[in-house]
Amino acid sequence: MNRRRTAQAAATAAVAALVLAACGSALPKPEPDPAPAVPPAATSVTQSDAILTNLGAVLDKADAALDPKLLPPRVVGPALTTRAAEYVRAKATKNAKKPTALPTTAQALVVPQTDGWPRTQLVVTEQPADLQAPRILALEQASPRAPYRLWGWGRMLPGVKMPATAAPDVGSPVLAPDAAGLVVTPEQALTQYADLLAKGTASAYADTFEPDEFRTAVEQQRAKLVEAVKAAGTAAEVYKAADAPLVALGTADGGALVVGTLTTVSAERLSGAGGTIPISDPFYAALTGKTTASKSFVRTLTGVLVMYVPSAASGGKVQVLAAEDEVTAATAQ
Amino acid sequence: MLKRVITAAVGVVGLVLVGLGVASATLWRADDTLVATASDGAHTFVTDPGVLEMGGDPATVRITASDGAHVVLAVGRDTDVAGWIGADAHARVTGLSSWHSLDTTDAVPTPSPTAPAASAPAPAATPASTPTVAAPPKPATTVAATTKPTVAATTKPAPTPTPTAAAPATGGAATGTAADPTGSDMWVEQATGNGTATLTWQAQPGRWSLIAVSTGKAAPTLSISWPRVVTTPWLWPLVVVGLLLALGAAAVLLWDARRRHRGPEADWTPVTTGAIPAVNGEPTVVLTRRQLREAAQARAARPRTGAIPVTAAPSDATPDTRSEPGAAQARPTAPSAADANAWEPVRAAGVGPAGAVGRPGTSPSSLPRAERPPAGATAAQSPSAAPTGPSATPQQAPHTGPTSPAPTPQQSPGTAPTTPAPTAPAATAPAPTAPAPTGPAPTGPVPTAAVPTSRRALRGAGSAPGGGASSPESHARPAWLPVPPSGASSTPPASPAASAQGPSGQPSAPTAGSGTDTAAHPRWLGARSVSDAAPSSPVLPPPGPQRAADPAESDQPDTASGSRADAWRRAWGLPPVDPDDPSNGEGRHGR
C-alpha cells in the first residue's frame, strides 16, 4: 500500500513538474544592443538616398512650375532663397536662364554622428548633365519631426579635392563652431574668409587661406563693377559671413568641413545727380521692378561656402571647396 | 496479487508517461507564434529598444483602430523615435507582462512646445497657400500615398507625400488626438493604413524602436507576433521511459500469466538440498535423537512398497527419498544386516515363531514387510500401544514365565521344531534383532521398568509385544520371554543368549534359508535362526562369539558392523550412529 501511494505521489509529482516545465519557460525580455558610446550616423545611406530622392522630386516639381512655394517641404534657408530667386530669374528671362541644376544622386555622403537636432549632412553629388562641377548639398533636419531639407548648395571649385571623410554608415563627428584643434575654428574660418574677400591680400588672414577660384571670381567681378561705376559714383561690396557655421563635420585627417553662409551686399551709388543706372538685366528688373536706378542699385547675394579647415597639427591652409553666390534681392532707387 | 497490481500500476504509469510526452509535443505544444497585444487607451505606442526583437525574428506588428482611423507603424532608431515623440503623451512598451500581453507604461505628457512647434511653422505656412498644385503625386514615396486621402486631402493636397510628414505633426492635432509620424526621414520601416496596418520587422543590429499611432479617436490595439522555435524536450524522454515501464510491466505480467497457466512446478521442482548423502564420504550430519526418531516413525508409518513418498522430515531426511531407489534395491540384501530396527523384533517375535506356519509359503522377503507396518504402526504411532504391549508381555510372560524362565526356551524349542522355524524366521525377521528387543524385554519382567526407560526401548520392546499382541499367535511370545530371563542384565546378557542361540540357528539356517530365500538370506538366516534356534540349541557357541561380539564389544562391532550399518544409513541419508552417544545405544540394542 505504501509503495502504491509513493508511486502515485511520484506520478503526480512528475505530471506536475511536466506541466510546470511546459509552461514555465521564462518570458522573453528585451535585450537591446547596448547604447553606443558614439552616436550612430544620423541616417543610413538608404535613408540619405531616399531623402535625396524626395528632394529631387520636390525640386523637379518646383522647377517645372518655377514655383518657389513648392520648395519649402524640402528646401529651406539660403537654398530656398536662392532657388526662389532663380525661379524669378528663369521667369524673367523666359527660361533662358534656368535654375541651377542640382543633381540628387550622391557621389559621397558626409553624415553626422549625432543624437540631437538640428542635423546636417553633406552630399557631394554627381556631375550635372551639363557637366558642370558637382554640387555639394547641405541637407538639414532642423527638428525631429522635420524632414531633411536642402539648406544650401555650392559648386565645387575647380582644382579642389575633397578631403577624406568617414564612411557614411559610420558617420562623421560633429564639431562645435569653436572647436579647437583646427587651424582656425569653424566660425573664425567664415569670418576670416569674409575679411579676406573684402581686403584681399591686405587681409591679415591672407595666409590662412589657399587661393581659390571663388575669391578670384568675386574680386574680378568687384573690380569690374568698380570700374564700371567709377565715373559716376562708387561701388562697394560688403561681405558678411554667418556668425556661426551651419555645421562643422570632422574629416578623416582631423580637419573639418565647415559650411556657412556668406551674404554679399553689392551697392552702386551715383555720386552726382541726374545720372542713372540702367537695369537692363530682366532678372534685376524683375527683382527691383524698375529698369533704371537714379540713386543706387543694391544687390544682395546669398552665398554658401563649404570650406575645409585642416587640423592644427597638419598646419595646412583653409581651402574653399565649394561656393555659390547668387543675387537673391535687388533694390533700385 | 499485490505484486500483480503494482506491476499493472507501473505499466499504467508508463502509458501515462507516454501520453504525457506525446501531449507535451502536441496538445500542450507551445504556439508557433507568440502574440502579445496592448490596448491601454493610448493612441501612440513606442516600444523600448529590444522589444521588437525579444520574441523572435521577424516580428510582425499590427495595429488596429476600431474606428478605421489612419494608423501608422514605423520603426526607427530609438533616439530618433524618442526625439520624434518628444514630450507627447504615449504608452511605452517595455516588454511582456504575460505571454499574451505587452507591458506598457504611460509616459507622462509634459507640455513641450519646442520640438513640434519648431517644425510646425514652416510647413504650416506653405501648404495653406498651395491648394492648386495637387497634381503630381510622386511615385517614389512609399506609404504616405495612402495617407493622403484621409488627412492630407482636405487641408493640403499639394505637396509630395513625403513632405506631408511634417504637416501631420501640426494638422494631426486638429483631426485626431495623436501626431502622425508618417513619412519621417528617420524611419527605417513604415506602414500605414486605415483601420489597420501591418509591418514586418527583420531584426537588424542596433537599437530600434517602434512607433505606432492611431490618429483617430478610438484607442488602437497594438499586437506584436514573433515566430517561436518550439522545442519539445519532454517528448522522447517521456516516451522512452514510459515505453520501458509499460513494456517491462507487460513482460512481467505475461511471465506471471504463463507461469500460472503451466503451474508453478511445470518446469522446476523446488529442491532443498540438505546434507547430501555421501555414500563413501564422511558423514556430514548428525541427526538429533528426535530427528532420528521421527525419521524412524515416518519410515515405519509408510508402506514399503513402490515409490516412497517424500517425508516431511527435517532437511536431513530428504536425501533419503532421493537415494531411496538405490537403497530400495539394496534393501533386499540390506535388510539382512540392517533390519535391526525396532519393528524387526515384532516380526521376529510375533511372526517369526507364530506365523511361521503360514508364512513360509509366501515370499518371506516381501511379506514381512507388508505386514510389518501395521505392527510397527501400532507400536510406533500409538504410544498407548506400547504400554499395552509391555503390559501384554508381562501378562504373557507370567503366563508362561511363572513357571520358570527356563521353560520358555523349552517351549520355543518346542514350537520351533514343530514349525519349519528356520525357514520362516529366517525369511521374515532378522534374527539378530530379535534378541535386542528382548534385551529390554528382560527388564520387561519388570514391565513398568521397561516403559519409563526410553521410548525407543519401549517401542522396541513394545513393538515386540505389540506385534505379538496384534498377531493372533501371542503364544509365540513366550518363545521370546525365555530369552530375557536368560540375560538378566540388559544387553550383554541378552547377547550371550543370542549368541548362544545363534549357533544353534546357524546350522539350521542354511538348510532352510537356502531353500527359501536368495543367496543373501542365508547370511542372516543364520542370524535369524538364532532367535528361533537359540533355545533349541544353545550348544553351539562358535558362531556365537561373532555375534556376541556385536553387542559385547561396543566399539569394535561398531566399526565392523558400521560399514554395513552405515552403508544402510547412508543409503537412507541417516547419519551413522555415534558409538559414544548413549542415545544410540538402543539402536545397537535393536541389533
Side-chain angles (χ1 to χ4, degrees):
Chain A
M1 240 31 205
N2 252 344
R3 283 172 59 188
R4 210 190 302 177
R5 204 168 298 160
T6 47
Q8 284 173 351
T12 310
V15 171
L18 188 76
V19 170
L20 287 178
C23 312
S25 55
L27 281 175
K29 287 181 180 172
E31 291 171 354
D33 292 350
V38 175
T43 60
S44 64
V45 176
T46 310
Q47 287 175 308
S48 293
D49 287 343
I51 292 167
L52 286 173
T53 303
N54 290 333
L55 170 62
V58 170
L59 286 176
D60 286 351
K61 211 192 295 181
D63 288 353
L66 294 180
D67 184 354
K69 304 211 168 42
L70 300 180
L71 292 174
R74 283 294 174 182
V75 184
V76 75
L80 179 60
T81 310
T82 304
R83 203 64 176 176
E86 287 182 343
Y87 289 162
V88 172
R89 187 183 67 187
K91 283 180 184 172
T93 59
K94 306 281 193 264
N95 248 348
K97 285 189 175 178
K98 295 185 175 177
T100 304
L102 292 177
T104 52
T105 315
Q107 190 180 145
L109 288 171
V110 184
V111 180
Q113 294 175 331
T114 180
D115 282 338
W117 285 269
R119 299 170 173 178
T120 303
Q121 56 182 292
L122 304 180
V123 179
V124 179
T125 70
E126 302 280 358
Q127 281 190 318
D130 58 2
L131 297 183
Q132 288 180 355
R135 314 309 198 225
I136 293 182
L137 310 180
L139 301 172
E140 183 199 39
Q141 184 186 30
S143 67
R145 296 194 185 183
Y148 278 88
R149 293 191 177 98
L150 177 65
W151 177 86
W153 72 86
R155 300 166 199 261
M156 285 195 75
L157 302 179
V160 301
K161 185 173 174 236
M162 275 294 286
T165 53
D169 53 353
V170 174
S172 301
V174 179
L175 304 179
D178 57 352
L182 302 172
V183 174
V184 292
T185 63
E187 52 190 0
Q188 284 172 342
L190 286 174
T191 53
Q192 289 178 8
Y193 188 72
D195 185 76
L196 178 62
L197 280 179
K199 300 176 181 172
T201 52
S203 169
Y205 313 111
D207 290 341
T208 308
F209 294 86
E210 294 275 0
D212 62 81
E213 291 289 330
F214 176 72
R215 185 168 45 135
T216 306
V218 167
E219 287 173 347
Q220 286 177 352
Q221 284 191 357
R222 186 179 62 202
K224 224 189 284 180
L225 182 66
V226 168
E227 186 64 30
V229 186
K230 185 170 59 179
T234 61
E237 289 191 337
V238 177
Y239 309 96
K240 181 169 179 11
D243 289 339
L246 171 71
V247 71
L249 296 173
T251 59
D253 60 0
L257 291 173
V258 178
V259 180
T261 56
L262 176 73
T263 305
T264 302
V265 176
S266 174
E268 303 166 49
R269 289 191 170 77
L270 297 178
S271 53
T276 58
I277 301 174
I279 304 176
S280 56
D281 192 320
F283 173 44
Y284 298 147
L287 284 177
T288 58
K290 299 177 181 176
T291 54
T292 58
S294 56
K295 287 185 181 174
S296 65
F297 178 58
V298 179
R299 294 172 298 161
T300 303
L301 293 85
T302 301
V304 172
L305 292 174
V306 180
M307 295 188 291
Y308 164 60
V309 181
S311 65
S314 70
K317 293 184 177 180
V318 178
Q319 172 76 57
V320 176
L321 299 174
E324 182 75 326
D325 190 26
E326 291 194 36
V327 176
T328 53
T331 54
Q333 284 181 338
Chain B
M1 189 57 193
L2 182 59
K3 179 191 169 193
R4 236 179 300 156
V5 167
I6 289 176
T7 308
V10 168
V12 169
V13 167
L15 291 178
V16 167
L17 285 183
V18 171
L20 289 176
V22 171
S24 77
T26 55
L27 199 63
W28 302 330
R29 189 173 191 270
D31 290 335
D32 282 330
T33 55
L34 167 61
V35 181
T37 60
S39 179
D40 67 344
H43 287 74
T44 302
F45 292 95
V46 173
T47 65
D48 279 359
V51 169
L52 276 179
E53 297 89 357
M54 68 180 171
D57 182 33
T60 302
V61 187
R62 183 180 185 82
I63 185 171
T64 307
S66 57
D67 58 356
H70 175 62
V71 290
V72 183
L73 294 171
V75 178
R77 289 188 190 284
D78 58 336
T79 52
D80 293 352
V81 172
W84 193 96
I85 198 70
D88 282 10
H90 65 278
R92 239 179 89 211
V93 180
T94 56
L96 290 175
S97 59
S98 74
W99 279 103
H100 297 295
S101 64
L102 293 165
D103 193 10
T104 61
T105 56
D106 283 333
V108 181
T110 55
S112 70
T114 56
S119 64
T126 47
S129 61
T130 60
T132 54
V133 201
K138 276 293 165 71
T141 58
T142 54
V143 194
T146 59
T147 73
K148 248 200 288 182
T150 59
V151 183
T154 54
T155 57
K156 41 182 149 175
T160 54
T162 29
T164 59
T170 57
T175 56
T177 58
D180 186 354
T182 305
S184 172
D185 291 330
M186 297 185 295
W187 306 151
V188 182
E189 296 276 350
Q190 175 181 293
T192 61
N194 291 324
T196 182
T198 304
L199 179 148
T200 301
W201 173 250
Q202 305 274 353
Q204 299 179 15
R207 295 160 62 86
W208 304 97
S209 286
L210 168 84
I211 181 169
V213 174
S214 168
T215 57
K217 300 281 187 197
T221 298
L222 175 70
S223 76
I224 308 178
S225 65
W226 297 273
R228 298 292 288 172
V229 178
V230 179
T231 57
T232 55
W234 289 93
L235 173 59
W236 289 114
L238 282 182
V239 167
V240 168
V241 171
L243 277 182
L244 286 181
L245 285 179
L247 290 180
V252 170
L253 285 178
L254 209 77
W255 178 263
D256 271 6
R258 281 179 61 194
R259 257 183 49 184
R260 235 178 300 129
H261 183 67
R262 281 192 296 180
E265 251 74 41
D267 288 337
W268 302 91
T269 302
V271 174
T272 51
T273 50
I276 296 173
V279 176
N280 294 322
E282 301 286 324
T284 53
V285 177
V286 176
L287 292 182
T288 65
R289 226 192 295 179
R290 181 183 180 85
Q291 287 171 329
L292 282 172
R293 183 173 67 241
E294 287 171 355
Q297 287 177 354
R299 228 173 291 124
R302 70 174 175 255
R304 288 215 151 193
T305 55
I308 295 174
V310 181
T311 62
S315 59
D316 311 60
T318 50
D320 287 358
T321 63
R322 278 295 167 84
S323 58
E324 207 167 359
Q329 293 178 346
R331 205 169 299 149
T333 59
S336 61
D339 282 355
N341 290 324
W343 41 266
E344 301 293 353
V346 178
R347 217 184 308 137
V351 179
V357 188
R359 292 271 159 73
T362 62
S363 76
S365 62
S366 63
L367 239 181
R369 248 171 235 177
E371 294 181 353
R372 220 175 295 151
T378 53
Q381 291 172 349
S382 62
S384 61
T388 58
S391 65
T393 49
Q395 291 172 352
Q396 291 174 343
H399 176 53
T400 53
T403 54
S404 75
T408 49
Q410 290 172 350
Q411 266 188 336
S412 65
T415 56
T418 54
T419 60
T423 60
T428 57
T433 57
T438 59
T443 60
V446 193
T448 52
V451 176
T453 49
S454 77
R455 267 227 201 126
R456 286 260 170 100
L458 253 182
R459 209 182 308 137
S463 64
S470 63
S471 61
E473 298 92 358
S474 61
H475 190 55
R477 214 33 60 77
W480 291 98
L481 291 174
V483 181
S486 68
S489 64
S490 60
T491 44
S495 58
S499 63
Q501 298 165 351
S504 67
Q506 274 180 343
S508 61
T511 56
S514 61
T516 55
D517 253 312
T518 59
H521 283 276
R523 230 177 80 278
W524 42 292
L525 274 181
R528 210 166 285 161
S529 64
V530 168
S531 62
D532 301 28
S536 59
S537 59
V539 196
L540 301 171
Q546 293 175 349
R547 291 220 58 80
D550 269 7
E553 302 158 14
S554 56
D555 290 342
Q556 280 184 349
D558 232 358
T559 54
S561 66
S563 61
R564 247 204 247 160
D566 285 349
W568 176 87
R569 284 180 173 278
R570 284 190 220 107
W572 281 82
L574 291 175
V577 182
D578 185 355
D580 295 331
D581 191 346
S583 65
N584 294 331
E586 54 173 337
R588 217 163 294 135
H589 291 319
R591 204 168 292 165

